[in-house]
């Protein structure tokens, strides 16, 4: 069984070791020299700076989440004007990232939390580290379990990740997909409905929602052979063609389902309030964006829409 933190010989550093107040006296030691082995993000702030009071804590949270892959130095510009002058800090908040003794990235002013997280990830990745604190490895392991048909074990890993990061969209979507794979659609829907608002529109949850809808349809899908015979006997029986598409997808033939829906759309794009197009989009959302079935299906659908 995969455990979070597996393979890590040491625990994550304490917050006091990751976030430091730095002055001119120890800037060389705590920032420049320290960055030779671990990237250091420097936050230039002042007590009177309103935006600094918002940015600072957000930056600290992002650094803590990286669990030792990056450190943070806080420099009060009122007390350390020489450093601010040397680095040409003209307004605050200003943030610089140091790696191997040199500033490698930075920004000025208050920015959204998502940009702060992306900045920290970018800095860590530039140094060859992992900003997820090991969660990316756990996600990869859980996805491998899913591919191997070990959905129950995968669900446990996804759930463990969510205990550490309740807003982890990949883990949330993965947990929903794991319950779909075990046939527990009721639990999958409950988990999906309970997703935090911050990630409710994330692509991973949109994909899980699409997969849940398709799984519900699959439970009512008819036999492929009989439906195919109906379509062959009467190619204009659009309901039978739609039902055949559902049955094909339920039996693991996504490409066949898409082809039937494209044929239906070609015959009558407005049938049943545009059901063929809606079903195609549901399948496209459920599959990976780079899946050949999605790429080819979207291209064919677009050519018909704009013909």
């Amino acid at each position: 069984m995969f455990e979070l933190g597996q393979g890590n010989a040491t625990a994550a550093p304490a917050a006091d070791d990751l976030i430091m107040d730095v002055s001119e006296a120890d800037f060389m030691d705590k920032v420049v020299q320290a960055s030779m082995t671990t990237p250091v993000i420097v936050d230039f702030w002042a007590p009177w700076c309103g935006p600094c009071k918002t940015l600072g804590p957000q930056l600290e949270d992002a650094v803590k989440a990286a669990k030792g892959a990056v450190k943070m130095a806080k420099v009060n510009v009122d007390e350390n004007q020489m450093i601010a002058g040397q680095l040409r800090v003209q307004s605050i908040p200003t943030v610089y990232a140091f790696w191997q003794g040199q500033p490698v990235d930075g920004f000025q002013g208050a920015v959204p939390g998502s940009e702060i997280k992306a900045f920290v990830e970018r800095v860590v990745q530039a140094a060859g580290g992992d900003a997820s604190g090991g969660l990316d490895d756990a996600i990869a392991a859980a996805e491998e379990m899913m591919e191997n048909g070990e959905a129950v074990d995968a669900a446990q890993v996804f759930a463990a990740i969510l205990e550490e990061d309740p807003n982890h969209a990949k883990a949330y979507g993965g947990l929903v997909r794991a319950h779909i794979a075990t046939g527990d659609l009721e639990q999958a829907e409950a988990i999906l409905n309970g997703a935090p608002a911050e990630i409710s529109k994330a692509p991973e949850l949109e994909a899980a929602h699409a997969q849940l809808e398709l799984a519900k349809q699959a439970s009512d899908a008819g036999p492929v052979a009989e439906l195919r015979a109906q379509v062959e006997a009467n190619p204009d029986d659009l309901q039978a063609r739609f039902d055949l598409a559902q049955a094909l997808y339920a039996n693991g033939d996504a490409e066949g389902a898409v082809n039937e829906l494209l044929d239906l759309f070609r015959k009558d794009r407005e049938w049943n309030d545009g059901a063929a197009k809606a079903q195609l989009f549901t399948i496209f959302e459920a599959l990976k964006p780079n899946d050949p079935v999605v790429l080819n299906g979207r291209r064919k659908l677009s050519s018909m829409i704009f013909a």
Side-chain angles (χ1 to χ4, degrees):
M1 178 62 192
F2 184 94
E3 296 181 3
L4 294 185
Q6 185 176 11
N8 295 332
T10 58
D16 292 343
D17 297 327
L18 297 176
I19 300 167
M20 312 159 284
D21 288 310
V22 174
S23 67
E24 292 169 356
D26 55 14
F27 187 87
M28 284 296 296
D29 179 42
K30 291 187 175 181
V31 175
V32 178
Q33 290 299 325
S35 73
M36 299 305 293
T37 54
T38 303
V40 179
I41 291 174
V42 185
D43 175 24
F44 291 92
W45 69 286
W48 46 265
C49 168
C52 297
K53 296 175 182 178
T54 300
L55 177 68
Q58 290 179 319
L59 196 54
E60 290 183 25
D61 288 343
V63 168
K64 291 174 185 175
K67 297 185 177 179
V70 64
K71 295 182 178 181
M72 177 177 170
K74 298 161 63 176
V75 177
N76 183 335
V77 296
D78 285 351
E79 299 173 354
N80 301 279
Q81 295 181 12
M82 186 176 72
I83 298 176
Q86 288 175 340
L87 292 173
R88 299 179 182 177
V89 175
Q90 297 178 339
S91 64
I92 54 174
T94 288
V95 176
Y96 282 129
F98 279 74
W99 169 237
Q100 295 189 331
Q102 300 293 327
V104 294
D105 204 343
F107 63 88
Q108 287 185 335
V111 299
S114 59
E115 291 188 27
I116 294 172
K117 182 179 179 182
F119 172 75
V120 172
E121 290 176 350
R122 194 164 65 242
V123 171
V124 172
Q125 289 168 2
D130 175 11
S132 75
L135 298 187
D136 285 350
D137 288 341
I139 286 287
E143 292 292 356
E144 185 175 350
M145 292 174 187
M146 289 289 289
E147 291 176 6
N148 293 335
E150 302 166 356
V152 174
D153 288 342
Q156 293 177 358
V157 177
F158 287 131
I161 294 169
L162 289 172
E163 288 182 5
E164 295 206 14
D165 182 358
N167 288 343
H168 200 296
K170 289 183 179 179
Y172 228 105
L175 185 58
V176 174
R177 289 187 287 109
H179 282 286
I180 293 172
T182 62
D184 192 349
L185 304 188
E186 188 174 325
Q187 181 65 11
E189 185 167 20
I191 294 169
L192 195 57
N193 290 339
E198 297 92 326
I199 61 171
S200 61
K201 298 299 181 182
E204 294 85 358
L205 269 74
E206 296 285 358
H209 181 269
Q211 290 184 22
L212 179 59
E213 290 304 307
L214 292 169
K216 289 179 180 178
Q217 294 174 8
S219 61
D220 298 324
V224 171
E226 290 183 16
L227 290 168
R228 192 181 298 281
Q230 280 184 255
V231 171
E232 290 175 353
N234 183 7
D236 293 327
D237 186 343
L238 302 186
Q239 183 63 58
R241 192 177 294 274
F242 186 83
D243 293 344
L244 174 58
Q246 288 188 336
L248 287 169
Y249 189 90
N251 283 273
D253 186 1
E255 184 176 11
V258 167
N259 287 338
E260 293 298 335
L261 291 167
L262 288 171
D263 283 343
L264 197 165
F265 184 83
R266 186 182 294 108
K267 288 177 177 294
D268 184 355
R269 64 180 63 190
E270 300 301 330
W271 176 80
N272 198 12
D273 295 326
K277 182 180 176 182
Q279 185 75 351
L280 281 166
F281 283 148
T282 299
I283 292 175
F284 294 157
E285 288 178 2
L287 300 175
K288 294 180 179 179
N290 61 349
D291 190 308
V293 173
V294 175
L295 298 175
N296 293 332
R298 285 190 183 279
R299 178 176 52 79
K300 291 176 180 178
L301 180 61
S302 296
S303 68
M304 283 190 276
I305 291 175
F306 297 109

